[in-house]
Amino acid sequence: MKHCFLRGVGVYLFAFTAVFGVSGLRAQEQRKPDLVLKGTITEANRETYVEVPFTVPAGVVRVSVDFHYTGHEKKATIDLGLLDNERFRGWSGGNKSAFTVSETDATPSYLPGPIRPGVWKLLLGVPSMPTGVRSEYVAKVYFGREGEPVTGSTFGAEAVPGPVREGPGWFRGDLHMHDAHSDGSCTSQMGKKVPCPLYKTVEAASARGLDFIAITDHNTMSHFDAMRELAPYFDKMLLIPGREITTFQGHANVFGTTEFIDFRLTSKYVPTFNDLLNEVEKKHALISINHPGLPTGAECMGCGWSVKNTDFSRVHVIEAINGDNADNAVSGVPFWQKRLNDGLRVTAVGGSDNHDATLEPNHNAAIGKPTTVVYAANLSERAILDGIRAGHAFVDTLGSHDRAIEFTASVGGQKAMMGDVVKALPGEKVHFVLTLKNLAGAKAEVVRDGVVEALGGEIKEPIEVREFDQVSDDQRHWVRVNVRGANGRLLILGNPVYLNF
């Protein structure tokens, strides 16, 4: 490596420019409904219930309805409910104009449960329809089908508002947390250790100032319905449904689907890890191997990764940092870097693995410690997961709120950020730029194919830029950065820029 330049920057220039973009993301397009149900309600229907039938085809796993009617200004009132082909599924009356139901979750007022094909019915109650008034209703019905990729939210984009925040940026979140729906516990009002309500975890994450969180209870999906209820209230923060696939040979988070994925690895149901990966890919989901450096055995069965013949080319993400293990013997960083040296592009993330809704800064797994910071097109589930998949992320190991880096490369008109690839001919210089924010007193280092090299001395300024060139030898390389505190502790772990991959 040559030509390392250091320069302090006195103005805030840290925002990543739109020229780099986020691959694979576009502005959300309005999806057309699968069915449009129309009708007229008059005074003849007053104080009656009107059933509006519609057919749900096979293969549907989610039904979303957007309902509107005219005549509000004339005191017309139409209440809303739903019957499936077997039972009552809910009644929101006049308090909601849109809802969604699936096997795992439903809008409050409605019941989750199997989506069976057949004739379903909207149930319209008419408490008030003045004489002479005609109210025209329109119900747009959207079907979410098995294995369908996430368009905005797995909770049903048609019946859920758009992104929590519009526009591209860096968003901070925690990708690994547990609550009462698995093994999370906290202290009750009477001082007893009890299963910790999901509300406490979400409330703590909100107080932490996080932009997004994923709740990843072990093998279950029961928390999805509870998350649906909390999301409208905690509307400054994105709630991403996840689960921790927990097997006897290893644990892995899955994001991007609310459909069931069988976790019984090495059984007749899921003979191999490839079979599990087939299900993940079929559902267009994202999988992350968790805490792979931990030991495994009777005390913590499957905590480390011991799955035989793992095809790592099909693994998207590795939890390189779990809680405060960034620098100790059970860190997942060496495991992750081994995959990089094998020629794979795998994103490193961090997760607190919190089990008790605590924000205590000295706790080894406080919510938001570590924080995964993702560059995404907006603050939506689809955009965050696409950003992670692309490697546009770094890990703030202590969850500092404001410590940050940008790491970019350019050559021959190409520009790349963390996670991206640049191609360089032999002898061409690839120019790297590292921008450091709120890291005064720390030191930066470059990691090239696993070899660590200091990048200048102590960081002095609130915003500081360091640059270097690397001459291409036409071979594959990965180049990333770390930032360490004065005590040598890892503060920032960056994902690589890939050369000639």
Side-chain angles (χ1 to χ4, degrees), residues 35 46 107 117 166 193 219 230 239 264 300 311 319 334 447:
L35 295 174
R46 187 167 54 222
T107 302
E166 295 283 2
K193 187 175 182 180
N219 291 338
L230 295 177
L239 306 188
R264 292 172 287 181
C300 190
D311 184 353
E319 187 185 68
V447 186

Side-chain angles (χ1 to χ4, degrees), residues 326-343:
D327 297 294
N328 61 31
V330 296
S331 168
V333 174
F335 182 95
W336 166 58
Q337 291 194 152
K338 171 65 167 61
R339 314 289 75 86
L340 300 179
N341 280 335
D342 287 341

Side-chain angles (χ1 to χ4, degrees), residues 263-499:
F263 53 86
R264 292 172 287 181
L265 187 62
T266 68
S267 74
K268 64 180 180 180
Y269 304 101
V270 190
T272 71
F273 187 58
N274 277 338
D275 294 297
L276 194 153
L277 289 174
N278 289 341
E279 281 301 300
V280 171
E281 292 171 2
K282 179 181 176 182
K283 293 171 172 51
H284 301 276
L286 186 70
I287 190 166
S288 169
I289 290 178
N290 289 344
H291 41 69
L294 292 179
T296 188
E299 291 188 7
C300 190
M301 182 59 66
C303 284
W305 193 258
S306 59
V307 178
K308 293 181 179 178
N309 302 316
T310 301
D311 184 353
F312 287 105
S313 69
R314 302 176 68 188
V315 175
H316 316 123
V317 182
I318 290 174
E319 187 185 68
I321 300 174
N322 176 272
D324 67 350
N325 76 359
D327 297 294
N328 61 31
V330 296
S331 168
V333 174
F335 182 95
W336 166 58
Q337 291 194 152
K338 171 65 167 61
R339 314 289 75 86
L340 300 179
N341 280 335
D342 287 341
L344 303 176
R345 292 172 61 189
V346 186
T347 303
V349 299
S352 68
D353 206 355
N354 178 266
H355 282 68
D356 54 10
T358 185
L359 293 174
E360 170 57 47
N362 294 324
H363 191 284
N364 64 355
I367 287 173
K369 177 186 174 185
T371 298
T372 299
V373 189
V374 181
Y375 186 79
N378 55 56
L379 186 53
S380 68
E381 181 181 344
R382 170 63 183 271
I384 292 296
L385 296 184
D386 278 359
I388 293 170
R389 191 186 295 268
H392 298 165
F394 64 87
V395 181
D396 180 342
T397 67
L398 300 182
S400 67
H401 296 291
D402 60 358
R403 288 176 180 152
I405 63 167
E406 281 182 21
F407 185 54
T408 63
S410 59
V411 59
Q414 303 171 68
K415 295 182 178 180
M417 66 182 296
M418 288 178 285
D420 293 340
V421 175
V422 292
K423 302 284 188 179
L425 297 172
E428 276 193 301
K429 288 183 179 179
V430 182
H431 186 61
F432 291 90
V433 179
L434 171 62
T435 306
L436 303 128
K437 179 188 175 189
N438 296 322
L439 286 157
K443 293 182 179 180
E445 58 189 27
V446 178
V447 186
R448 180 183 179 276
D449 301 332
V451 178
V452 180
E453 182 178 332
L455 183 59
E458 181 180 320
I459 300 163
K460 302 289 187 181
E461 304 291 336
I463 305 290
E464 198 165 301
V465 176
R466 304 193 172 186
E467 304 180 33
F468 63 93
D469 292 329
Q470 181 168 317
V471 178
S472 172
D473 59 4
D474 202 31
Q475 301 299 307
R476 282 187 171 191
H477 299 285
W478 56 269
V479 182
R480 66 175 197 84
V481 294
N482 288 328
V483 182
R484 295 187 179 274
N487 60 359
R489 184 170 186 177
L490 185 64
L491 301 179
I492 299 287
L493 177 139
N495 274 287
V497 173
Y498 298 90
L499 274 59

Side-chain angles (χ1 to χ4, degrees), residues 11-34:
V11 294
Y12 184 83
L13 295 174
F14 194 71
F16 192 77
T17 59
V19 68
F20 293 102
V22 176
S23 60
L25 288 178
R26 294 184 254 177
Q28 278 192 325
E29 297 176 353
Q30 186 66 36
R31 176 181 165 183
K32 292 182 179 179
D34 293 278

Side-chain angles (χ1 to χ4, degrees), residues 32-348:
K32 292 182 179 179
D34 293 278
L35 295 174
V36 178
L37 311 174
K38 297 182 178 180
T40 302
I41 301 294
T42 69
E43 60 186 284
N45 304 112
R46 187 167 54 222
E47 297 184 24
T48 68
Y49 296 95
V50 177
E51 294 182 352
V52 183
F54 63 97
T55 299
V56 175
V60 170
V61 296
R62 184 177 295 276
V63 176
S64 300
V65 175
D66 191 9
F67 180 81
H68 297 280
Y69 63 93
T70 63
H72 293 272
E73 73 285 357
K74 297 178 180 179
K75 308 299 182 184
T77 303
I78 302 177
D79 291 339
L80 183 61
L82 180 68
L83 301 163
D84 67 17
N85 59 347
E86 296 179 346
R87 63 175 180 141
F88 173 74
R89 290 297 289 262
W91 179 259
S92 54
N95 69 69
K96 296 178 180 70
S97 62
F99 64 82
T100 184
V101 295
S102 78
E103 183 171 17
T104 59
D105 59 89
T107 302
S109 302
Y110 294 85
L111 299 172
I115 306 298
R116 304 196 192 283
V119 177
W120 291 38
K121 297 172 184 176
L122 290 183
L123 184 58
L124 308 182
V126 190
S128 174
M129 192 61 57
T131 301
V133 173
R134 292 172 60 85
S135 178
E136 309 292 337
Y137 68 80
V138 176
K140 297 178 181 179
V141 182
Y142 302 85
F143 296 137
R145 291 175 170 81
E146 185 176 3
E148 200 168 59
V150 176
T151 55
S153 166
T154 47
F155 283 151
E158 298 77 25
V160 173
V164 173
R165 200 175 311 156
E166 295 283 2
W170 292 96
F171 301 104
R172 294 176 175 262
D174 192 336
L175 292 167
H176 192 167
M177 286 181 284
H178 300 274
D179 63 280
H181 291 265
S182 58
D183 54 346
S185 62
C186 55
T187 303
S188 73
Q189 292 180 333
M190 294 182 65
K192 299 176 182 177
K193 187 175 182 180
V194 297
C196 200
L198 176 63
Y199 178 88
K200 297 296 291 182
T201 295
V202 177
E203 184 179 52
S206 177
R208 187 76 173 75
L210 296 176
D211 297 309
F212 66 89
I213 58 171
I215 306 298
T216 54
D217 285 311
H218 296 283
N219 291 338
T220 189
M221 302 175 291
S222 62
H223 54 294
F224 295 167
D225 196 46
M227 292 176 70
R228 285 289 266 116
E229 182 176 0
L230 295 177
Y233 178 79
F234 292 96
D235 56 358
K236 291 184 178 181
M237 184 171 63
L238 173 68
L239 306 188
I240 299 175
R243 83 208 67 171
E244 186 168 17
I245 300 292
T246 306
T247 80
F248 302 135
Q249 290 81 37
H251 300 180
N253 281 342
V254 172
F255 313 101
T257 181
T258 56
E259 297 176 49
F260 176 67
I261 295 175
D262 202 325
F263 53 86
R264 292 172 287 181
L265 187 62
T266 68
S267 74
K268 64 180 180 180
Y269 304 101
V270 190
T272 71
F273 187 58
N274 277 338
D275 294 297
L276 194 153
L277 289 174
N278 289 341
E279 281 301 300
V280 171
E281 292 171 2
K282 179 181 176 182
K283 293 171 172 51
H284 301 276
L286 186 70
I287 190 166
S288 169
I289 290 178
N290 289 344
H291 41 69
L294 292 179
T296 188
E299 291 188 7
C300 190
M301 182 59 66
C303 284
W305 193 258
S306 59
V307 178
K308 293 181 179 178
N309 302 316
T310 301
D311 184 353
F312 287 105
S313 69
R314 302 176 68 188
V315 175
H316 316 123
V317 182
I318 290 174
E319 187 185 68
I321 300 174
N322 176 272
D324 67 350
N325 76 359
D327 297 294
N328 61 31
V330 296
S331 168
V333 174
F335 182 95
W336 166 58
Q337 291 194 152
K338 171 65 167 61
R339 314 289 75 86
L340 300 179
N341 280 335
D342 287 341
L344 303 176
R345 292 172 61 189
V346 186
T347 303

